[in-house]
Amino acid sequence: MPEPESNQHDQHAGHELEAGVLARVREWIDLLPWLRLLRTLRIAGSPSMILIAMFTLALWAPVYLWILDRDGPARWSLETPFSAVDPAPARAASSIETVRFFIASLTANIQGDRGGLTRPLCSLLWTMIVWSCGSLVFVRQGGLLTAGRSMVNLKEVARSAASRSPAAWAAGVVPIACIAMLATPIWAAGWVASLVPESPVAQLPLAFVAAVMAIPCGILGFGAIVAIPLAWSAIANERDPDVLDALSRGYEYLYRRPLQLVMYGVVAVVLLTIATALISGVVATAQQIVLVALDWTSAPAMTHNLTQQILTLIPIATAFALAWGLVGGVYLLIRYDAGGQQVEDLWVPPLAPRDPVPTLPT
């Protein structure tokens, strides 16, 4: 029996393979989502991002070290002879010491033998105030790059970061306020313990109360190390910069997705190490060239030392800018793992309306 004319000209379209799992593994980033973080390396090569980090670091470090009443790393006097200064502008010790100071300010893990809690709290607040705007810029750019988009111009991202900085400050203060409230029973137990006799019968209940109340304080305090940076990423990349929602995201991603967070963190550390090594090598070579050139011109020691300090600041500032950019990328990846929201689903402000084209009179 001959086939109908409509079927004679139909061709087999092939098997539909773009379904289920096969539809989601068409690219390497679908199999290995952490490859998206490679895009954030563009921040390490952006002069505007490095300049913002250098300015923020130069503003933050002197006041921070003054609050702690200690000398900072790689701190030279302008009158010191250039021959007495280490010619390596990006020494590992200098960079590690600066990063250690920065992390200590975020965690308030500082010895309080002089000033008690006043110095750590002041240094912590100063760090959050100074770094909030720049960090929002970096996490925003890192989020855009991770989502496969281009970095926005500096004017636009700076305006957005400035408007959302108060929310970032609140996100940093809320955990401290919650810890202080939860620590009130601990202070009360300590005050009562100082009044009762020092016997196990009297001290054991008070010690038990202090130990029990210290657990939620530890959960909030330890989680804040990760929750606050992730909250800043949420504030910069989500449509609604809600402080409590951003903090809840940070704590949820830490305690519900620790393995994914550790995996992305390891990748971020590897990328940061490679980028810092490259920029340190470039700066070290640049300093040697400057050293020879300034020696030929018999430049004064102050010029040598200022050049040295500026070049030393470049690898450290680059590391900070890239680190915050990676935080923005990790936030989008862990957000997808926790809630299934696509990485590309990123808030973008609406474009400004253009003036209508005038119509010509007929």
Side-chain angles (χ1 to χ4, degrees), residues 269-306:
V269 169
V270 172
L271 295 178
L272 182 62
T273 302
I274 294 174
T276 305
L278 290 176
I279 193 64
S280 298
V282 171
V283 170
T285 305
Q287 192 206 11
Q288 296 302 323
I289 296 174
V290 170
L291 174 63
V292 175
L294 292 180
D295 284 342
W296 284 350
T297 59
S298 301
M302 181 176 293
T303 304
H304 284 268
N305 297 332
L306 286 174

Side-chain angles (χ1 to χ4, degrees), residues 165-183:
S165 291
W169 299 338
V173 173
V174 167
I176 300 177
C178 293
I179 293 174
M181 292 177 60
L182 291 176

Side-chain angles (χ1 to χ4, degrees), residues 18 64 79 84 86 95 171 187 207 229 260 285 328:
E18 293 293 320
Y64 170 73
E79 291 79 14
D86 188 354
S95 301
W187 294 333
Q260 292 93 328
T285 305

Side-chain angles (χ1 to χ4, degrees), residues 57 60-61 64-65 68 70-75 90-105 312 316 320:
L57 191 61
W60 165 79
Y64 170 73
L65 296 172
L68 296 182
R70 63 178 68 178
D71 294 330
R75 204 174 182 184
R91 295 175 300 148
S94 176
S95 301
I96 293 174
E97 187 70 9
T98 303
V99 173
R100 187 183 68 82
F101 276 132
F102 184 75
I103 295 176
S105 68
T312 303
I316 303 173
F320 280 137

Side-chain angles (χ1 to χ4, degrees), residues 9 14 20 83-84 89 149 177 192-193 233 237 287:
H9 301 285
S83 58
R149 304 182 184 183
V192 174
S233 300
N237 291 301
Q287 192 206 11

